[in-house]
């Protein structure tokens, strides 16, 4: 099969969020099964500054957009692997007005933020003759690629109008689309009339275009809504999140009507992680590599981390961590309210991430209030992230909602125990810890992989932290739990199979 991934970011070429990890690692896994997988993404300014290699210009084309003719150059590079470069080609689309003049994500108050990806989607669909390659399936990720299914449907419809000569005009009609939603919250919305004008559409081309008034998402053109209505198949990144968005309007974010319409074609597939990259046995960024057999070496990483972020160096102090966008989706409000309590209970805590200014300030203040106990690293730093996964004891992720979540999986790979709220992918990947007693309490067996709570409330969160700390006091139990957690398989192999099944299903349907 020939599959084109279309996404706004791809790790390690360029990463802002989890979508980059998924595209970067899933493509490699699909490629292993012998399929022709390629990726398309914009050639942003910061990417050009990085001077990536190799970089070959492979095509040029012109498209009509917003009533002007625009030039596009396509460059080819490859996804770099852990040891050597992979053979997954990445097409970087260069255009000075829309794609290559600025950073990755733009101010959502400017139409350019949306226009950039409307332009990109049109460019991708026009590029196949110039590339001399046409996919069987386009696998679109999030709203940034969400216009593609709509544009393809319109083309398909136009090419079946009887007045059109059969054959060559049908070129695009056989391409199938899979749309993966990483986060339903971010939808890509803008004034309907302006969007249609930009795309040179009238609004009567296909039924979904006139559905703008349905549901509670207002009058805007909503790219995600159009993607859900027009893709051949849809998936979200965990079965738990699929269930939530189908049954609870809080999670459906105003799109409940469209989700209900497509619910038979929408499933959840759990994300995996790149287990070669995230591997405590080989990680280049950490002080001492370690494994299940040499778990004692994890302590060197703890001491090193404590030193690096100015926490008191002491292996006995339970070290909490959080690596996250500082956003209320991630429950940063809850954690910042719990900081004093965590310190009072004898813990330390290290934060890494950027986000809402308000929370950056709160965390910085907390680190000044509790020197040696609280560290606030307000930045994005891949090396420090790995050092935290390796050095911390406990990883906090009390999200309000979580389509999948990758950090809890990475933490577990490094034997760092997650504390999570039971939602979406967190519910699917972390099982609450219990001790099973057998033979009148003589044999104790640990079950579960982390500490889980249900209600998004401070008392529940704090009592879960207490429970975690009580468990931490028993060194033998804690070690057993770490070993259990490190043995979990979060590689892509199972989930990539599920994607392959979806691709096959798409290839088998003729319409
Ligand atoms: C988004 C979601 C996160 C998910 C990631 C990759 O960032 O918020 O839950 O793990 O995408 O799919």
């Amino acid at each position: 099969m020939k599959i084109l991934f279309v996404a706004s970011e791809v790790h390690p070429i360029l990463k802002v969020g989890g979508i980059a990890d998924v595209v970067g690692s899933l493509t490699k896994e699909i490629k292993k099964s012998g399929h022709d997988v390629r990726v398309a993404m914009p050639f942003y300014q910061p990417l050009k500054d990085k001077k990536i290699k190799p970089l070959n210009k492979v095509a040029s084309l012109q498209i009509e957009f917003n009533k002007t003719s625009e030039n596009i150059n396509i460059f080819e590079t490859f996804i770099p692997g852990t040891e050597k470069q992979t053979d997954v080609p990445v097409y970087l689309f260069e255009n000075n007005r829309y794609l290559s003049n600025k950073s990755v994500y733009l101010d959502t108050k400017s139409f350019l933020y949306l226009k950039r990806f409307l332009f990109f989607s049109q460019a991708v669909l026009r590029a196949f003759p110039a590339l001399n390659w046409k996919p069987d399936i386009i696998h679109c990720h999030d709203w940034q690629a969400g216009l593609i299914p709509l544009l393809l449907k319109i083309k398909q419809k136009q090419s079946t109008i009887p007045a059109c000569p059969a054959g060559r005009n049908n070129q695009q009609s056989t391409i199938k689309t899979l749309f993966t939603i990483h986060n339903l919250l971010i939808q890509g919305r803008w004034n309907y009339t302006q969007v249609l004008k930009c795309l040179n559409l009238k609004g009567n081309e296909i039924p979904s275009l006139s559905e703008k008034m349905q549901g509670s998402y207002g009058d805007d053109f909503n790219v995600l809504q159009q993607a859900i209505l027009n893709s051949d198949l849809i998936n979200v990144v965990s079965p738990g999140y699929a269930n939530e968005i189908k049954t609870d309007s809080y999670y459906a974010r105003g799109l409940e009507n469209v989700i209900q319409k497509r619910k038979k074609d929408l499933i959840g597939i759990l994300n995996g992680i790149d287990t070669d990259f995230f591997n405590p046995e080989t990680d280049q960024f950490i002080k001492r590599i370690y494994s299940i057999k040499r778990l004692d070496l994890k302590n060197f990483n703890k001491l090193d981390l404590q030193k690096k972020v100015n926490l008191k160096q002491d292996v006995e102090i339970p070290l909490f961590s959080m690596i996250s966008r500082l956003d209320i989706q991630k429950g940063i409000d809850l954690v910042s309210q719990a900081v004093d309590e965590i310190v009072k209970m004898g813990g330390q805590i290290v934060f890494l991430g950027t986000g809402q200014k308000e929370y950056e300030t709160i965390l910085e203040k907390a680190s000044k209030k509790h020197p040696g106990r609280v560290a606030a690293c307000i930045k994005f730093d891949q090396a420090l992230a790995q050092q935290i996964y390796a050095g911390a004891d406990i990883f906090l992720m009390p999200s309000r909602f979580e389509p999948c979540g990758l950090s809890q999986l990475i933490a577990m790979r490094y034997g760092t125990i997650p504390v999570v709220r039971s939602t979406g992918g967190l519910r699917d990947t972390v099982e609450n810890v219990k001790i099973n007693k057998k033979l009148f309490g003589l044999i104790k067996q640990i079950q579960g992989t982390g500490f889980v709570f249900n209600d998004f409330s401070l008392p529940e969160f704090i009592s879960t932290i207490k429970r975690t700390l009580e468990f931490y006091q028993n060194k033998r139990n804690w070690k057993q739990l770490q070993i259990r957690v490190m043995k979990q398989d979060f590689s892509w192999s199972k989930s990539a199979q599920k994607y392959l099944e979806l691709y096959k299903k798409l290839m088998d349907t003729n319409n």
Side-chain angles (χ1 to χ4, degrees):
M1 286 183 278
K2 289 187 278 177
I3 305 140
L4 179 68
F5 277 58
V6 182
S8 53
E9 25 176 310
V10 182
H11 180 73
I13 293 178
L14 184 129
K15 170 174 163 168
V16 179
I19 183 174
D21 294 285
V22 172
V23 176
S25 45
L26 176 59
T27 41
K28 286 191 273 179
E29 201 66 31
I30 302 287
K31 181 88 189 189
K32 277 190 209 157
S33 323
H35 299 287
D36 182 356
V37 187
R38 307 184 189 193
V39 184
M41 71 180 282
F43 202 0
Y44 309 103
Q45 183 60 51
L47 200 50
K48 294 179 85 174
D49 297 341
K50 262 171 89 176
K51 308 242 175 297
I52 44 171
K53 278 187 186 138
L55 190 68
N56 301 311
K57 188 167 160 186
V58 288
S60 297
L61 66 145
Q62 282 204 326
I63 69 165
E64 279 293 310
F65 185 78
N66 205 16
K67 305 221 176 331
T68 47
S69 176
E70 293 287 339
N71 287 322
I72 297 160
N73 292 317
I74 305 176
F75 293 85
E76 184 186 59
T77 184
F78 295 86
I79 297 185
T82 318
E83 270 149 31
K84 57 179 177 41
Q85 187 179 289
T86 70
D87 47 3
V88 178
V90 179
Y91 294 128
L92 299 168
F93 281 61
E94 181 191 60
N95 166 269
N96 289 335
R97 194 193 309 264
Y98 294 107
L99 303 178
S100 311
N101 51 346
K102 292 202 172 81
S103 188
V104 185
Y105 295 119
L106 306 172
D107 181 2
T108 53
K109 288 188 206 82
S110 131
F111 188 20
L112 186 61
Y113 117 92
L114 198 99
K115 261 201 259 179
R116 162 178 273 182
F117 290 105
L118 301 183
F119 177 80
F120 175 56
S121 302
Q122 279 210 331
V124 169
L125 289 180
R126 296 284 171 77
F128 305 137
L131 288 170
N132 205 10
W133 183 82
K134 189 182 138 206
D136 302 313
I137 292 166
I138 305 185
H139 186 163
C140 308
H141 294 264
D142 270 356
W143 78 265
Q144 291 88 357
L147 196 70
I148 288 178
L150 168 86
L151 294 176
L152 263 178
K153 265 239 176 104
I154 292 176
K155 276 226 157 65
Q156 192 177 354
K157 198 171 166 209
Q158 283 165 352
S159 66
T160 51
I161 295 171
C164 283
R168 284 176 51 216
N169 279 346
N170 255 336
Q171 257 219 359
Q172 306 253 359
S173 63
T174 52
I175 300 178
K176 298 286 167 37
T177 51
L178 170 64
F179 184 62
T180 297
I181 303 171
H182 297 264
N183 195 340
L184 209 59
L185 182 66
I186 308 154
Q187 303 183 353
R189 295 160 59 147
W190 199 261
N191 177 278
Y192 182 84
T193 317
Q194 281 183 24
V195 172
L196 260 72
K197 206 172 135 206
C198 202
L199 296 170
N200 203 14
L201 294 175
K202 291 193 187 70
N204 59 1
E205 285 82 356
I206 53 170
S208 77
L209 278 179
S210 54
E211 292 196 25
K212 66 189 166 84
M213 302 299 285
Q214 271 190 20
S216 53
Y217 29 75
D219 293 353
D220 282 350
F221 184 94
N222 183 325
V223 183
L224 202 75
Q225 174 203 4
Q226 292 298 331
I228 295 173
L229 289 169
N230 292 302
S231 302
D232 293 311
L233 289 175
I234 307 142
N235 81 289
V236 292
V237 287
S238 70
Y241 190 56
N243 186 41
E244 284 170 344
I245 65 169
K246 285 180 188 177
T247 55
D248 187 334
S249 61
Y250 170 74
Y251 297 98
R253 299 280 149 179
L255 291 171
E256 40 274 36
N257 289 347
V258 270
I259 291 169
Q260 287 311 315
K261 262 196 188 164
R262 297 300 315 272
K263 73 173 177 204
K264 283 206 201 73
D265 298 318
L266 191 160
I267 65 159
I269 303 178
L270 201 63
N271 283 335
I273 52 171
D274 186 335
T275 45
D276 293 332
F277 186 75
F278 297 110
N279 184 356
E281 295 184 35
T282 54
D283 195 320
Q284 308 275 330
F285 292 114
I286 65 179
K287 184 83 179 167
R288 288 290 287 270
I289 51 171
Y290 61 98
S291 64
I292 289 178
K293 287 199 188 104
R294 290 302 312 271
L295 207 45
D296 54 311
L297 298 177
K298 186 167 160 60
N299 271 341
F300 287 101
N301 295 302
K302 182 168 177 177
L303 288 168
D304 181 59
L305 173 64
Q306 286 170 323
K307 189 167 165 209
K308 207 163 253 153
V309 298
N310 291 325
L311 295 175
K312 185 172 177 236
Q313 273 187 299
D314 183 345
V315 285
E316 295 302 320
I317 301 178
L319 176 49
F320 291 79
S321 59
M322 184 168 183
I323 303 175
S324 173
R325 260 185 299 122
L326 306 179
D327 186 292
I328 61 161
Q329 175 199 335
K330 303 287 181 183
I332 185 63
D333 44 341
L334 208 58
V335 182
S336 52
Q337 288 174 66
V339 169
D340 287 349
E341 197 65 30
I342 290 175
V343 172
K344 214 163 104 195
M345 288 190 264
Q348 291 179 333
I349 181 160
V350 53
F351 292 95
L352 173 64
T354 58
Q356 290 174 19
K357 273 275 153 311
E358 180 192 348
Y359 293 105
E360 294 185 353
T361 314
I362 291 176
L363 299 183
E364 272 164 347
K365 275 194 184 146
S367 78
K368 288 204 184 94
K369 184 173 166 193
H370 302 291
R373 286 289 188 168
V374 178
C377 310
I378 308 298
K379 57 181 172 178
F380 178 77
D381 182 336
Q382 184 78 50
L384 183 57
Q386 318 262 112
Q387 288 150 9
I388 294 175
Y389 287 123
D393 298 301
I394 300 150
F395 192 83
L396 300 177
M397 206 159 166
S399 305
R400 275 190 170 74
F401 66 94
E402 197 59 72
C404 177
L406 300 172
S407 310
Q408 83 279 16
L409 307 181
I410 303 168
M412 288 196 259
R413 176 118 174 102
Y414 285 81
T416 300
I417 307 300
V419 173
V420 305
R421 190 175 92 80
S422 177
T423 180
L426 295 174
R427 178 185 296 153
D428 292 339
T429 54
V430 183
E431 191 198 335
N432 199 18
V433 166
K434 267 197 292 206
I435 299 188
N436 274 344
K437 290 185 184 156
K438 280 187 190 163
L439 285 176
F440 311 105
L442 288 175
I443 298 178
K444 288 182 187 157
Q445 219 175 29
I446 293 175
Q447 257 190 351
T449 50
F451 297 87
V452 184
F453 66 103
N454 287 312
D455 280 352
F456 190 88
S457 76
L458 192 59
E460 263 224 49
F461 181 49
I462 294 201
S463 77
T464 311
I465 286 180
K466 274 201 186 115
R467 192 155 59 87
T468 311
L469 285 177
E470 273 160 29
F471 203 93
Y472 179 82
Q473 297 315 322
N474 184 325
K475 293 268 175 300
R476 257 187 73 212
N477 285 353
W478 191 261
K479 191 172 171 203
Q480 255 193 60
L481 177 60
Q482 285 180 305
I483 292 172
R484 270 183 67 78
V485 159
M486 288 173 83
K487 280 186 178 163
Q488 304 290 309
D489 177 11
F490 293 121
S491 70
W492 267 107
S493 53
K494 268 186 266 158
S495 299
Q497 280 311 316
K498 299 216 168 101
Y499 276 105
L500 283 171
E501 279 162 28
L502 286 192
Y503 297 154
K504 287 198 187 103
K505 194 168 161 189
L506 285 172
M507 299 293 286
D508 290 345
T509 46
N510 297 311
N511 50 28

